[in-house]
Amino acid sequence: MKQLLFLVVLMVGFFNTQCKEDDSIESNTCDFTILVDEEAYTKGNFEGLNILDASIEADCLQVTFGASGCSGTSWEFQLIDSGTVAESLPEQRYMKLNFKNNEACLAYFERTVSFNLLPIRVKGSHKIQLHLEGVNAPLTYNY
């Protein structure tokens, strides 16, 4: 009886982990996720780095930035969205790259990282303009 009960529980657990056709599968190919937080957006440290390039590939925002340092391995950074959506066509979002650099060397390093854009999609829309501080032109995210 215990073996039969164990087998039934095992089968139920297996079937509950299977994907349904209508399940959405999120992209896990980006390096980091975006923090959506108005307070962090206004209080963060956004100085000390140069954004060299930004582009959108699939559901990832790729950002190349540079700063002084010894190696760049201890840099701390996070992309922060203001949480505000400008109601226009297309809708617009505003972001900054929070940056902390404790490296006191004069060398200059560059780094490219990507951020998952899925959390900032706007329901009912398939296109938004992204304004990243330090980038002159807005980026268009089509989804």
Side-chain angles (χ1 to χ4, degrees):
M1 182 66 171
K2 289 182 183 180
Q3 291 175 341
L4 180 62
L5 181 60
F6 175 76
L7 183 60
V8 169
V9 169
L10 185 63
M11 288 176 52
V12 169
F14 175 76
F15 288 118
N16 282 337
T17 62
Q18 300 299 305
C19 293
K20 298 174 188 165
E21 283 186 38
D22 61 344
D23 286 348
S24 64
I25 299 173
E26 293 188 6
S27 171
N28 291 324
T29 59
C30 309
D31 300 322
F32 302 97
T33 58
I34 296 174
L35 173 65
V36 179
D37 186 322
E38 182 180 7
E39 185 175 346
Y41 179 83
T42 58
K43 292 185 177 181
N45 177 31
F46 308 104
E47 298 176 7
L49 80 154
N50 298 317
I51 296 182
L52 304 169
D53 189 43
S55 62
I56 296 174
E57 294 184 24
D59 291 318
C60 296
L61 172 62
Q62 295 234 163
V63 180
T64 300
F65 62 93
S68 64
C70 302
S71 66
T73 58
S74 69
W75 291 346
E76 296 176 31
F77 53 89
Q78 184 169 35
L79 187 62
I80 303 174
D81 179 271
S82 69
T84 302
V85 177
E87 300 295 330
S88 59
L89 287 175
E91 284 90 354
Q92 301 177 60
R93 299 195 71 127
Y94 301 88
M95 297 179 262
K96 296 179 182 178
L97 190 60
N98 186 28
F99 184 68
K100 183 177 180 182
N101 182 3
N102 291 323
E103 297 180 3
C105 298
L106 296 178
Y108 185 83
F109 295 92
E110 295 178 2
R111 190 162 177 189
T112 300
V113 294
S114 62
F115 298 91
N116 190 331
L117 292 171
L118 293 177
I120 64 164
R121 286 184 173 184
V122 177
K123 289 185 180 185
S125 179
H126 297 288
K127 176 176 165 179
I128 54 176
Q129 293 277 310
L130 305 179
H131 298 274
L132 176 60
E133 187 170 298
V135 176
N136 292 333
L139 300 162
T140 301
Y141 173 37
N142 295 299
Y143 51 94

